[in-house]
Amino acid sequence: MKKNSLPNAPVMLRRQSFLDTVRKNWLLLIMLLPAVLYVVVFNYLPMSGIILSFKQFNYRDGIFGSPWNGLDNFRFLILSGKLSALTRATLLYNFGFIVVNTILEVAVAVFINEISCKWFKKCFQSFIFLPYFISWVVAAAIVQALFSYEYGVINKLIELFGAKRLNINTTASVWPTLLIVLNAWKMVGYGSVVYLSAITGIDPGLYEAAELDGANKWQQIFHITVPSLLSTIIIMTLLAVGRIFRGDFGMFYQLIGNNGVLLRKTDILDTYIYRSMLGNSQLGMTAAAGFYQSVLCFVTIMVVNALVKWIEPDYSLF
């Protein structure tokens, strides 16, 4: 009897340990429950909609009752002839956003950390954080007001320096740069908070030792602060890479809209799919496009994480 019961002992101990943990931390688990429910309801349950990518959806039969149609929905993307160009544009825009924003976020975090005046530090942090709460609808109105061909402040300044006025509604070449600048303006303040919190966790003794050795502020930043932020930078970059094939639909659509002159430089997968669905309300095609983007994002983050793990295992996500 004792011999037969021995193999089950570890299982019973693990079960008892788990129940003890639940009893001791039941209040914390209840506090965690809303977040868990949110993730399950809005992140995991919608995954069942992937099957729409392989179905001819109709409202009468619903998601699970609609007939299967194989890979027909993916022909919408392939036969359009724009799949490679749209994928490349989405990738390049997001790559630009990640590189520029990461550099500026680290720079802003370091700058805020070095400010000694408390009231100026708080004002600057609030000022740079404010654009994150401005919707792209309002941001688009601000851009149109600033770059108005007749009354815009930017065009007044351009004309003051003897150059010709710029009509951003007909000049597609300026939009790649403008979109990167606008995205940085809106997101850098929010992203710098993560790096600022990481900086506060650096051992102050390192700076004291460097100062005793004669290192100035710039040397302390480049030899202590930035290397200490490397792991955070890599993790945040990996998380951003997970959405590198998903464009910010709100930004692109509110700023560009359906301006055909600008679309050749600014069209991405998200906006093209949306415009296509307006004339063809096939949910299966929309699901296929979303599934295509998700697969690309998954493959990308797996490849990048594998490279990071190969170079420095401690910095990988998993």
Side-chain angles (χ1 to χ4, degrees):
M1 292 292 292
K2 291 183 179 180
K3 290 184 178 180
N4 294 334
S5 62
L6 285 177
N8 297 326
V11 177
M12 295 298 293
L13 289 173
R14 285 197 299 268
R15 187 179 302 172
Q16 187 177 2
S17 177
F18 173 76
L19 293 175
D20 289 340
T21 304
V22 172
R23 291 192 195 97
K24 291 178 182 178
N25 303 286
W26 66 271
L27 186 59
L28 295 175
L29 293 173
I30 291 176
M31 294 173 64
L32 182 64
L33 185 61
V36 173
L37 290 176
Y38 177 86
V39 172
V40 171
V41 172
F42 293 100
N43 292 83
Y44 285 95
L45 291 182
M47 288 184 182
S48 60
I50 291 176
I51 64 172
L52 279 176
S53 305
F54 310 97
K55 286 196 170 191
Q56 184 66 37
F57 176 79
N58 63 76
Y59 292 96
R60 183 187 60 191
D61 298 323
I63 296 177
F64 299 101
S66 298
W68 297 90
N69 66 349
L71 299 176
D72 288 348
N73 289 325
F74 292 91
R75 294 179 184 176
F76 158 72
L77 292 172
I78 298 172
L79 296 179
S80 66
K82 296 183 178 181
L83 183 61
S84 60
L86 292 168
T87 303
R88 183 172 61 253
T90 307
L91 173 64
L92 292 176
Y93 270 116
N94 283 322
F95 179 78
F97 296 156
I98 292 171
V99 172
V100 173
N101 288 7
T102 300
I103 294 172
L104 292 179
E105 286 166 5
V106 173
V108 167
V110 171
F111 176 74
I112 293 174
N113 184 66
E114 296 297 330
I115 297 176
S116 57
C117 182
K118 290 184 178 180
W119 69 267
F120 179 75
K121 185 176 185 177
K122 291 180 179 179
C123 290
F124 179 80
Q125 193 170 1
S126 300
F127 176 77
I128 201 169
F129 197 80
L130 181 63
Y132 179 76
F133 298 101
I134 299 176
S135 69
W136 282 117
V137 178
V138 177
I142 294 173
V143 170
Q144 291 299 326
L146 289 175
F147 287 91
S148 173
Y149 187 75
E150 295 182 358
Y151 308 107
V153 176
I154 303 299
N155 274 318
K156 292 291 185 182
L157 292 174
I158 292 174
E159 193 175 36
L160 186 65
F161 287 98
K164 292 183 179 180
R165 294 186 179 187
L166 177 66
N167 189 348
I168 62 171
N169 294 320
T170 58
T171 310
S173 58
V174 303
W175 276 98
T177 303
L178 186 58
L179 287 170
I180 291 176
V181 171
L182 290 172
N183 184 269
W185 165 76
K186 196 173 190 304
M187 303 302 297
V188 164
Y190 177 78
S192 64
V193 174
V194 177
Y195 296 107
L196 187 60
S197 62
I199 290 174
T200 57
I202 300 174
D203 184 7
L206 296 174
Y207 294 101
E208 295 174 2
E211 192 172 354
L212 290 173
D213 289 339
N216 57 34
K217 281 294 181 182
W218 287 108
Q219 291 173 327
Q220 292 176 30
I221 289 171
F222 284 107
H223 293 285
I224 298 176
T225 306
V226 174
S228 299
L229 291 176
L230 187 59
S231 61
T232 306
I233 293 171
I234 292 175
I235 291 173
M236 296 302 296
T237 302
L238 285 173
L239 293 174
V241 165
R243 294 183 57 84
I244 200 167
F245 285 101
R246 291 189 180 276
D248 190 336
F249 174 80
M251 178 181 71
F252 282 89
Y253 190 75
Q254 295 298 335
L255 292 173
I256 308 299
N258 293 316
N259 189 329
V261 178
L262 306 179
L263 289 178
R264 62 186 180 86
K265 287 284 188 178
T266 60
D267 208 9
I268 58 173
L269 282 167
D270 302 74
T271 52
Y272 176 75
I273 292 165
Y274 176 76
R275 291 198 316 275
S276 300
M277 291 305 102
L278 289 178
N280 185 2
S281 58
Q282 292 292 330
L283 296 182
M285 295 181 181
T286 308
F291 184 60
Y292 167 76
Q293 287 180 292
S294 299
V295 170
L296 286 179
C297 292
F298 175 76
V299 171
T300 304
I301 195 171
M302 291 297 291
V303 171
V304 174
N305 185 72
L307 290 174
V308 172
K309 192 172 183 178
W310 178 58
I311 297 170
E312 185 57 61
D314 293 337
Y315 294 158
S316 62
L317 284 176
F318 47 86

